[in-house]
Amino acid sequence: EDQVTQSPEALRLQEGESSSLNCSYTVSGLRGLFWYRQDPGKGPEFLFTLYSAGEEKEKERLKATLTKKESFLHITAPKPEDSATYLCAVPSQGGSEKLVFGKGTKLTVNP
Amino acid sequence: EPEVTQTPSHQVTQMGQEVILRCVPISNHLYFYWYRQILGQKVEFLVSFYNNEISEKSEIFDDQFSVERPDGSNFTLKIRSTKLEDSAMYFCASSHQGSLNNQPQHFGDGTRLSIL
């Protein structure tokens, strides 16, 4: 069964304190890994797609990286507006269109 | 920037009643999806729809659920006889070319369904 596990479940940072979120997956034949941001009461907002091991993508204070078994979302000098739940998702194996989501990491950045 | 829009934002329904959730996907997208998220749990796949038919469905998507694209812009999810356990956020998503082409799915802000 395809599995996506994210850690930590929750993370509190001070403004400017850099850290990383982890997403590990067990799906075989990875066809991309997606990072989303979810604010309370809202839908997942697409951030990045990573296709192959070694790939990196950046957007403002966020950088996503991918290895064969996991992905990291690095947050550099975060601001309070970066507070959200960050979700990782992978397409299920085979020709499936289904995205399998992790439970997310709830990030709180204190001013 | 184009976005997926969902209505209503909140739906309260009596158990056993039918409910229809509505979505307008991004206009040039070809793949459409419904997911749900029970409070505090993961986002779960319900169904995918392409070329006017269901391409895949999960075990959650039983005979009480149906989807339809009644015209060129709307995509609906119908729950025929709602149960208490159907209470959740329901998200519609769309994608230009689908996961096989590594295309991301773009999500709406959801409909909160509350079954009384």
Side-chain angles (χ1 to χ4, degrees), chain A residues 8-9 12-13 15 17 27 30 34-35 38-39 53-57 62 67 69-70 72 76 86 88 97 99 105 108:
Chain A
E9 289 186 13
R12 284 186 176 275
L13 299 173
E15 185 171 1
E17 180 187 1
V27 64
L30 186 70
F34 303 96
W35 281 99
Q38 186 175 28
D39 291 299
E55 189 175 4
E56 297 183 354
K57 292 269 179 78
L62 300 176
T67 71
K69 290 294 181 189
E70 57 191 349
F72 293 93
T76 302
Y86 291 86
C88 168
E97 287 294 323
L99 284 183
T105 293
T108 304

Side-chain angles (χ1 to χ4, degrees), chain A residues 24-84:
Chain A
S24 62
Y25 56 89
T26 59
V27 64
S28 59
L30 186 70
R31 294 180 287 118
L33 182 142
F34 303 96
W35 281 99
Y36 289 86
R37 169 188 171 128
Q38 186 175 28
D39 291 299
K42 300 288 189 180
E45 176 191 349
F46 171 69
L47 293 173
F48 302 111
T49 307
L50 299 166
Y51 300 110
S52 56
E55 189 175 4
E56 297 183 354
K57 292 269 179 78
E58 282 190 67
K59 181 178 179 178
E60 295 181 359
R61 294 174 293 282
L62 300 176
K63 182 168 83 171
T65 62
L66 181 66
T67 71
K68 286 188 177 176
K69 290 294 181 189
E70 57 191 349
S71 176
F72 293 93
L73 186 64
H74 308 277
I75 303 175
T76 302
K79 298 183 177 181
E81 53 261 43
D82 295 321
S83 297

Side-chain angles (χ1 to χ4, degrees), chain B residues 8-115:
Chain B
S9 56
H10 191 190
Q11 175 78 47
V12 182
T13 302
Q14 291 287 334
M15 186 173 59
Q17 295 297 304
E18 175 182 288
V19 65
I20 297 176
L21 310 183
R22 302 180 191 280
C23 168
V24 179
I26 295 173
S27 63
N28 66 341
H29 284 188
L30 302 176
Y31 293 78
F32 313 112
Y33 313 86
W34 284 100
Y35 290 79
R36 79 174 185 189
Q37 186 176 31
I38 294 170
L39 191 62
Q41 297 188 23
K42 295 183 181 185
V43 176
E44 302 176 283
F45 171 82
L46 293 178
V47 66
S48 59
F49 190 88
Y50 170 71
N51 202 25
N52 281 320
E53 60 183 24
I54 290 174
S55 50
E56 186 176 356
K57 58 185 180 180
S58 72
E59 55 277 4
I60 303 168
F61 194 90
D62 62 20
D63 292 345
Q64 294 301 311
F65 290 85
S66 62
V67 290
E68 194 176 39
R69 187 155 164 81
D71 53 42
S73 59
N74 291 285
F75 181 51
T76 61
L77 174 70
K78 182 195 290 187
I79 308 175
R80 211 175 337 271
S81 177
T82 50
K83 306 190 257 300
L84 293 175
E85 54 265 37
D86 293 328
S87 294
M89 279 288 281
Y90 286 79
F91 294 111
C92 174
S94 69
S95 173
H96 182 54
Q97 291 185 324
S99 297
L100 288 176
N101 291 294
N102 299 321
Q103 293 288 302
Q105 297 175 19
H106 296 271
F107 287 75
D109 278 340
T111 293
R112 179 173 300 283
L113 179 62
S114 301
I115 308 299

